[in-house]
Amino acid sequence: GRFIIRSLKFFSIEIARENLVIKGFYPEWASPTFSLIRFVLNIFILIIVFPLLPGADSVAFKGVSVFLGVLISIGSSSAISNAVSGLVITYMRPFKVGDWIKTKSIVGVVIEKNVLVTRLRTFNNEDITVPNSSILNDHTINYSSIGKKKGLALSVRLKTRYDYNANIIEQRLIEAALRTNNITKDIPPYVLQVDFGDLSATYELNAYTFDPDNMFFTRSDLARNIRNVFEEANIKFVTTTFVELKTVD
């Protein structure tokens, strides 16, 4: 058993270092696969050795074994759930270390993946630990996986009055996008009219970047440029004031 485990460890290290390439088997699978096989082998070896232990046939030994098994099964139900979820996530490959992802309402860069939890670091430098079962049971958005190759669309919505021509609004929004650093010109930005209110229309600007790691800074610069361009053209954003009227008895 020890010889087999040592041999498998050697192969797992070589696969992880990409010195050994197996078609259809990714390098990040090497370590968890080795851990899983090692666990199964150790259980198998323990089953073989168990009858040879002194007192293995005694009633007391069997009772203690059953009691420990019940305690482990009850106390580790959530841990087992997270472990199974961690293995599923590993082989699904929805994200890897260094990717910016969103799970539930948490957005952060993946700094660690293990069998039980995934650790994220948010834009505000907060270290958040998320159970793997929680990630598997909810949808996950990966901003980095395709964004670095095919571009990530950054969206900004705004409202303007009907006094301004729609074509002028769209031209100014595209101009603001082209002024922004990290916004690519290879994929032209575009504008959508997404809503029509009583007093104003809502526009959505979509501009692409190939640098999703800095998407927060890029979106901030994009919003700033939109404001500057609109001020240059004397176009005002819509502001609404709510007045509450009360009757006095």
Side-chain angles (χ1 to χ4, degrees):
R2 292 178 62 186
F3 173 76
I4 294 174
I5 291 174
R6 287 181 178 179
S7 301
L8 291 174
K9 184 176 182 180
F10 169 77
F11 284 111
S12 70
I13 293 174
E14 292 300 308
I15 293 174
R17 293 175 177 174
E18 300 185 11
N19 294 330
L20 176 63
V21 178
I22 300 177
K23 185 178 180 180
F25 193 91
Y26 298 95
E28 58 264 32
W29 288 357
S31 179
T33 301
F34 168 71
S35 299
L36 182 62
I37 296 176
R38 182 179 59 183
F39 175 77
V40 174
L41 282 175
N42 285 330
I43 295 296
F44 180 71
I45 294 171
L46 181 62
I47 293 173
I48 294 176
V49 173
F50 187 82
L52 303 178
L53 296 176
D57 294 333
S58 66
V59 177
F61 194 91
K62 293 179 180 179
V64 171
S65 301
V66 172
F67 179 70
L68 291 176
V70 172
L71 286 181
I72 293 174
S73 61
I74 294 176
S76 61
S77 57
S78 60
I80 293 175
S81 175
N82 287 325
V84 173
S85 299
L87 289 175
V88 174
I89 290 173
T90 297
Y91 290 102
M92 284 176 56
R93 302 176 68 240
F95 54 82
K96 61 181 182 296
V97 175
D99 286 352
W100 278 92
I101 68 170
K102 178 179 181 181
T103 174
K104 293 186 181 295
S105 60
I106 303 171
V107 178
V109 59
V110 180
I111 58 176
E112 181 185 352
K113 283 196 317 177
N114 57 45
V115 177
L116 298 178
V117 298
T118 298
R119 291 178 55 208
L120 305 177
R121 179 169 294 133
T122 67
F123 179 73
N124 295 324
N125 209 30
E126 301 165 327
D127 194 345
I128 299 179
T129 301
V130 183
N132 286 331
S133 59
S134 176
I135 295 177
L136 189 63
N137 292 330
D138 202 353
H139 67 275
T140 302
I141 300 174
N142 191 329
Y143 298 104
S144 302
S145 58
I146 299 179
K148 293 182 178 180
K149 297 179 180 179
K150 297 185 177 181
L152 174 67
L154 302 180
S155 301
V156 178
R157 287 192 177 188
L158 53 90
K159 292 182 179 181
T160 60
R161 296 196 302 268
Y162 290 116
D163 301 343
Y164 306 109
N165 185 276
N167 293 330
I168 294 177
I169 298 295
E170 294 181 7
Q171 291 173 5
R172 294 297 180 178
L173 288 173
I174 293 175
E175 180 184 347
L178 297 177
R179 287 188 186 182
T180 306
N181 293 330
N182 292 331
I183 294 296
T184 181
K185 297 180 181 179
D186 297 334
I187 305 177
Y190 59 92
V191 179
L192 301 175
Q193 294 190 22
V194 295
D195 191 21
F196 297 97
D198 295 332
L199 301 175
S200 62
T202 302
Y203 298 85
E204 180 182 277
L205 169 65
N206 293 275
Y208 284 82
T209 178
F210 288 101
D211 188 12
D213 294 342
N214 292 313
M215 58 183 174
F216 293 102
F217 296 105
T218 304
R219 193 178 186 279
S220 176
D221 293 341
L222 179 60
R224 184 184 301 109
N225 287 333
I226 291 174
R227 179 175 179 178
N228 293 337
V229 168
F230 274 36
E231 287 180 352
E232 293 172 4
N234 293 322
I235 300 175
K236 297 182 179 179
F237 297 103
V238 171
T239 57
T240 304
T241 303
F242 295 92
V243 179
E244 183 179 2
L245 300 178
K246 294 183 179 180
T247 58
V248 181
D249 297 334

